[in-house]
Amino acid sequence: MAEWDSSFLSLVRHLPQTLLDLHARLEQGGFASYVVGGSVRDLLLGKKPKDYDLASSATPEQLKSVLAGIEGVSFIELGRAFGTLGVCYQGWLFEITTFRQESAYHDHRHPSGVVFINSLEKDLARRDFTINALALHPQKGLLDLHGGLEDLAHKRLKLVGDPLARLQEDALRILRALRFVSTLGFALEPATHQALKAQAPLLAHIAKERIRVEFFKLLLGGFVRLCAPFQPLLEHTLQTRFSPLERLEQISPNLCARLLWLCHTWESQTLLDFCARLKFSKKMRQSLHKLHAQLPLEPIENPNVWLKERLESLHLGQLRALLGFLQAQNPALSARLKGELKKIMKNHEVYSLRFLALKGTDLLERGFQGAQIGALLQACLQGVVRKEVRNEKEALLQYIQEYHTLREN
Ligand code: ATP
Ligand code: MG
């Protein structure tokens, strides 16, 4: 059996002091505690972890009573039945999970029950991939019971235990595997690969929200082209057809931009149905729909005017996503538009009524009314955007005069 390896103690200096404080408190209270999951994997890969998970022998109730004494600590219930407690402390949110073993799974996703146990070994055995089944202890070092270190060194993604059975238990692991391929650039170990293909139909049992979370992470990966062979699997799972995944890497990692690439050939209703099926947030659904309505982007005659017209109706973030999407279709044009956008921002060029030197009140004072005011301001804005008139009050009033006379004749 593998032993604790103290040569990895140097990793401990990368852990936040707050995490070490919580760990020490748990041990003083008589409980075991270890850093586990993605943070250990990321530290070994030389990456900064996004968040930290602890595994402990303490049950959620025991965790609360031991940690409640620390000033400034509060708790969030993250899944009491599964033994996960969120601990907020000094601006951090740590997830502490009681060592657990899962009993039989009843729907390819949820264990019918979990048993809290006093064994780190069994807790590590229930984890998905060998690279996610490592434990770090601030004084003992690293514990690698499933060959995770070797798999990390070989950039290999391997399920812990019998791959077919592990996917049968929880089919979401299929998508988790693909998202790690996409984010880490690892290859699937052959038996894991085989099992993935064999058990893919089980994804039909998985809740769409869970699928969406993993799918979005997959889309943002820096190695997403490696998922291209699984495009049919993803399409089957998401019940739709996409534009080729391998082109996604040409687009900076912006979720809206990458999603727009996948769906840019769809009818607008297909997009809305897709968003509803995967339960997208309202904000994401609206943004995507708005950007989709801008397609096709070409031809663009005057980049400067084109950008300013878009800035009237899109947020800057949405426009950036649109230009990100264009990287996959026409990289040269995308780069040109990005440069032009930078110039517009730097020179404070006018693209919105907010920046117009003429206001509604100026027109009201001159006897204009209601909807007429809105239309005239809009005409002024168009004139400024097209550089037909300077953004100065007198010049704009003069412009209105001409515009008005023109309309009346
Ligand atoms: P990330 O860096 O995206 O947070 P992560 O590996 O930490 O990646 P989490 O979803 O935060 O992923 O899960 C934390 C840990 O819990 C994993 O590393 C793994 O050990 C375990 N885990 C999560 N989901 C599963 C699952 N479906 N089956 C088995 N173990 C899982
Ligand atoms: Mg994590």
Side-chain angles (χ1 to χ4, degrees), residues 77-101:
E77 299 283 350
L78 291 173
R80 180 189 277 265
F82 296 101
T84 303
L85 186 68
V87 178
C88 309
Y89 184 38
Q90 296 189 351
W92 290 91
L93 170 63
F94 300 111
E95 284 189 22
I96 311 190
T97 305
T98 309
F99 293 155
R100 64 181 211 216
Q101 195 173 20

Side-chain angles (χ1 to χ4, degrees), residues 228-294:
F230 297 95
Q231 177 145 350
L233 182 156
L234 291 168
E235 289 179 338
H236 191 259
T237 305
L238 302 172
Q239 299 158 311
T240 191
R241 300 287 297 272
F242 304 128
S243 294
L245 276 176
E246 59 252 38
R247 294 275 286 280
L248 286 179
E249 275 181 43
Q250 287 174 246
I251 301 174
S252 350
N254 170 306
L255 188 57
C256 226
R258 290 192 170 187
L259 278 167
L260 196 60
W261 166 257
L262 293 186
C263 70
H264 75 278
T265 59
W266 297 354
E267 298 287 326
S268 131
Q269 191 55 46
T270 314
L271 173 62
L272 289 177
D273 293 345
F274 177 69
C275 293
R277 214 164 46 244
L278 280 195
K279 301 192 165 53
F280 278 34
S281 69
K282 190 170 163 200
K283 193 170 162 218
M284 175 60 90
R285 192 183 65 228
Q286 286 175 340
S287 275
L288 257 183
H289 192 231
K290 210 166 170 182
L291 295 181
H292 187 266
Q294 300 279 334

Side-chain angles (χ1 to χ4, degrees), residues 282-342:
K282 190 170 163 200
K283 193 170 162 218
M284 175 60 90
R285 192 183 65 228
Q286 286 175 340
S287 275
L288 257 183
H289 192 231
K290 210 166 170 182
L291 295 181
H292 187 266
Q294 300 279 334
L295 304 180
L297 298 183
E298 297 178 73
I300 296 174
E301 276 165 29
N302 181 334
N304 179 284
V305 172
W306 186 90
L307 285 165
K308 288 196 265 189
E309 283 173 353
R310 297 296 165 300
L311 276 167
E312 270 180 71
S313 58
L314 301 177
H315 303 305
L316 193 54
Q318 290 173 329
L319 182 58
R320 291 213 165 104
L322 203 57
L323 303 188
F325 154 77
L326 195 59
Q327 285 174 309
Q329 257 189 349
N330 186 340
L333 180 60
S334 172
R336 180 151 169 241
L337 288 168
K338 280 183 187 170
E340 192 64 37
L341 181 60
K342 228 186 226 164

